């Protein structure tokens, strides 16, 4: 997020999109390379993934972000998005082929090899930048340099004022008169540096965790995210049992469909929100509102157990579930800054496991066991197995819709301030070394 502060929604969509595809990637490895061995899969998850993470940690580092819009960077993001979409379609297709036709070992290894090529395709970007470096940035000043702050530096005949404007005066134009008037009057009255008085950060600036923790917008965003992903992960955790209860004997395709649509929701949720926030300064949280309205309809379809709606409901829910992730990440960074974004982001992520505990572990598990006991069986069959759970989840998403509307109204002035003129105003901390 710090490396690409001008493309936060796009970055969040790509990263979260690949996370959404990871389950399908592991399924492909499990089916072909590991030959459906549970012990080999556990060994791979225990040893293989940590080794891979340690090997790649060196390449994850902070860099100086671009000082403005970069057309080549936009093209690189489009290439990565296209490669990830191709990977998602390929994984969905190979999963269906594996499930229906049981291909030979040689064909399975070929499928895995092609998947690895798709996974490594974004490496074409640094290779292209190394072999064919662009000269478009040579004349651009780096972010935070004096060249971008002082006009006419190369003119030696220009007379400099004895007293330079304070940094607080520099950003006066970025503030709305009503919300920040008292702070501006105070700063102008006491003078910068005259007294050691710390001003509390405003939305859109860098917050410490304890400062963000006491803000209403922080908890509104957390609750909206918790209700959205908590209800979605409940279906994901119980999707196999839901399919069996509704008459689907093989739930592999159902799970693959949810995974692929989850990926699409994450990828395009970030890209679409990025477009509208730049063109119309539309707060990203409006897309959380729309997605949770659709989730209400989806849960009602699940509860009705109508014939032929299971796959459509799963696809819609997967998309909406993915949108919650790709919107929360850039929204948290825009409201509370990037300086302490790590701890703020990880606290937001607690909504997922807490939702799984409450909605999936307690609610869905209790309802399923109760209905199975009524049928005098360990396996519950029929629409009643999860009907009450789906109705509660629909109510939770209804509450999330109301809260997201309130949050959107509250933070609309913040987005108008940050994205006025069609470009994001870099926070002051990003311009400091």
């Amino acid at each position: 997020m710090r490396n690409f502060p001008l493309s936060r929604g796009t970055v969040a969509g790509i990263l979260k999109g690949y996370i959404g595809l990871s389950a399908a990637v592991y399924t492909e490895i499990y089916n072909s390379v590991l030959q459906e061995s549970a012990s080999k899969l556990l060994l791979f998850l225990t040893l293989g993934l940590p080794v891979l993470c340690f090997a790649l940690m060196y390449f994850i580092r902070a860099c100086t972000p671009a000082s403005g819009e970069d057309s080549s960077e936009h093209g690189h993001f489009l290439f990565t998005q296209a490669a990830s979409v191709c990977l998602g379609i390929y994984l969905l297709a190979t999963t269906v082929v594996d499930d229906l036709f049981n291909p030979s070992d040689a064909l399975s290894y070929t499928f895995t090899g092609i998947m690895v090529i798709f996974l490594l395709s974004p490496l074409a970007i640094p290779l292209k930048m190394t072999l064919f470096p662009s000269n478009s940035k040579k004349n651009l000043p780096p972010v935070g340099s004096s060249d971008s702050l002082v006009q006419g530096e190369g003119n030696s005949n220009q007379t400099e004022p004895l007293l330079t404007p304070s940094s607080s005066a520099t950003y006066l134009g970025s503030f709305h008169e009503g919300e920040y008037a008292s702070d501006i009057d105070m700063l102008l009255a006491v003078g910068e540096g005259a007294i050691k008085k710390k001003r509390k950060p405003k939305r859109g600036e860098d917050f410490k965790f304890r400062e963000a923790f006491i803000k209403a917008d922080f908890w509104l965003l957390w609750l909206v995210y918790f209700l959205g992903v908590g209800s979605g992960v409940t279906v994901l955790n119980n999707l196999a049992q839901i399919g069996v209860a509704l008459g689907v004997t093989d739930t592999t395709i159902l799970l693959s469909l949810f995974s692929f649509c989850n990926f699409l929701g994450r990828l395009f949720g970030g890209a679409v929100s990025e477009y509208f926030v730049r063109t119309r300064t539309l707060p990203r949280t409006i897309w959380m509102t729309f997605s949770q309205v659709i989730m209400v309809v989806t849960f009602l379809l699940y509860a009705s157990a109508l014939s032929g709606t299971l796959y459509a409901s799963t696809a819609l829910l997967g998309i909406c579930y993915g949108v919650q992730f790709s919107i929360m990440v850039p929204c948290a960074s825009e409201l509370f800054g990037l300086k302490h974004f790590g701890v703020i982001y990880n606290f937001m992520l607690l909504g997922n496991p807490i939702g799984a505990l409450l909605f999936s572990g307690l609610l869905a598990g209790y309802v399923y066991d109760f209905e199975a006991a009524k049928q005098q069986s360990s396996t519950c069959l029929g629409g009643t197995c999860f009907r009450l759970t789906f109705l509660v989840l629909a109510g939770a998403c209804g509450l999330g819709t109301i809260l997201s509307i309130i949050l959107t109204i509250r933070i609309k002035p913040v987005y108008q301030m940050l994205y006025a003129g069609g470009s994001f105003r870099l926070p002051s901390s990003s311009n400091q070394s």
Side-chain angles (χ1 to χ4, degrees):
M1 300 296 287
R2 292 176 180 173
N3 290 347
F4 304 98
L6 301 180
S7 305
R8 303 186 187 197
T10 304
V11 170
I14 292 174
L15 293 178
K16 287 296 183 180
Y18 273 98
I19 293 175
L21 285 178
S22 61
V25 172
Y26 293 149
T27 302
E28 184 70 30
I29 295 174
Y30 174 76
N31 289 334
S32 58
V33 179
L34 304 180
Q35 299 177 346
E36 300 186 4
S37 172
S39 59
K40 291 181 180 179
L41 176 63
L42 290 176
L43 184 63
F44 170 73
L45 296 177
T46 305
L47 299 180
L49 294 187
V51 170
L52 185 63
C53 291
F54 279 115
L56 297 178
M57 280 176 62
Y58 173 79
F59 300 99
I60 309 300
R61 63 181 72 182
C63 66
T64 301
S67 58
E69 300 292 342
D70 188 347
S71 58
S72 63
E73 182 178 287
H74 179 67
H76 296 160
F77 279 131
L78 286 178
F79 174 80
T80 306
Q81 289 171 329
S84 61
V85 171
C86 292
L87 174 62
I89 296 174
Y90 175 79
L91 288 171
L92 181 62
T94 54
T95 301
V96 173
V97 170
D98 289 338
D99 186 63
L100 296 180
F101 301 104
N102 193 19
S104 63
D105 291 342
L107 188 58
S108 296
Y109 281 112
T110 302
F111 287 161
T112 304
I114 297 174
M115 179 193 72
V116 172
I117 293 175
F118 276 120
L119 282 171
L120 297 179
S121 59
L123 287 177
I125 296 174
L127 288 177
K128 174 253 183 183
M129 296 176 69
T130 302
L131 297 176
F132 305 99
S134 174
N135 297 323
S136 60
K137 294 185 179 181
K138 285 187 176 180
N139 296 325
L140 291 176
V143 176
S145 68
S146 58
D147 296 337
S148 61
L149 300 178
V150 181
Q151 297 179 353
E153 184 179 5
N155 187 0
S156 59
N157 296 326
Q158 184 175 354
T159 303
E160 297 183 0
L162 294 177
L163 295 177
T164 59
S166 65
S167 60
S168 60
T170 305
Y171 292 103
L172 291 183
S174 302
F175 297 132
H176 291 287
E177 293 182 358
E179 186 175 358
Y180 298 97
S182 60
D183 294 304
I184 294 173
D185 293 340
M186 184 273 295
L187 288 173
L188 293 177
V190 301
E192 185 172 357
I195 59 174
K196 299 296 182 180
K197 184 177 179 65
K198 292 184 178 180
R199 180 178 65 86
K200 294 182 179 180
K202 300 295 182 181
R203 294 174 301 178
E205 299 176 350
D206 288 322
F207 279 72
K208 295 180 180 178
F209 176 72
R210 63 177 180 271
E211 294 170 335
F213 189 80
I214 60 175
K215 294 296 182 181
D217 292 335
F218 179 89
W219 286 105
L220 279 173
L221 181 60
W222 190 91
L223 285 172
V224 172
Y225 176 75
F226 158 73
L227 293 171
V229 300
S231 57
V233 78
T234 301
V235 175
L236 178 59
N237 289 345
N238 298 276
L239 192 55
Q241 289 179 313
I242 293 172
V244 172
L246 297 180
V248 177
T249 56
D250 189 352
T251 59
T252 302
I253 297 178
L254 198 64
L255 291 167
S256 299
L257 179 64
F258 186 97
S259 177
F260 177 71
C261 293
N262 177 25
F263 154 72
L264 290 181
R266 296 179 186 221
L267 182 68
F268 290 110
V272 171
S273 69
E274 189 72 22
Y275 173 79
F276 280 96
V277 80
R278 290 186 172 279
T279 58
R280 301 184 182 180
T281 64
L282 192 66
R284 299 184 195 272
T285 49
I286 191 67
W287 303 106
M288 300 180 82
T289 304
F290 291 152
S291 63
Q292 294 207 22
V293 170
I294 297 175
M295 290 176 75
V296 171
V297 177
T298 302
F299 287 132
L300 293 178
L301 284 176
Y302 273 121
S304 65
L306 294 176
S307 177
T309 61
L310 178 60
Y311 288 96
S313 301
T314 302
L316 285 175
L317 184 64
I319 293 174
C320 297
Y321 177 69
V323 168
Q324 308 299 314
F325 288 91
S326 61
I327 298 301
M328 181 276 291
V329 178
C331 186
S333 75
E334 289 159 340
L335 291 179
F336 307 111
L338 289 172
K339 189 173 183 179
H340 303 281
F341 175 66
V343 64
I344 293 174
Y345 163 71
N346 280 283
F347 186 87
M348 288 287 176
L349 286 184
L350 289 176
N352 200 334
I354 294 177
L357 173 64
L358 296 179
F359 294 135
S360 180
L362 298 181
L363 174 64
Y366 174 79
V367 172
Y368 183 88
D369 292 340
F370 178 78
E371 294 295 336
K374 288 172 61 176
Q375 298 178 10
Q376 298 181 351
S377 173
S378 60
T379 302
C380 182
L381 299 176
T384 59
C385 299
F386 290 93
R387 179 164 295 154
L388 179 59
T389 300
F390 290 138
L391 293 177
V392 173
L393 295 181
C397 286
L399 176 60
T401 301
I402 297 173
L403 294 178
S404 62
I405 293 174
I406 296 173
L407 177 61
T408 301
I409 295 173
R410 285 177 55 91
I411 65 177
K412 186 175 182 180
V414 182
Y415 276 86
Q416 291 175 342
M417 177 188 71
L418 294 178
Y419 288 94
S423 62
F424 186 82
R425 177 178 63 81
L426 285 172
S428 57
S429 60
S430 300
N431 294 335
Q432 298 175 358
S433 58

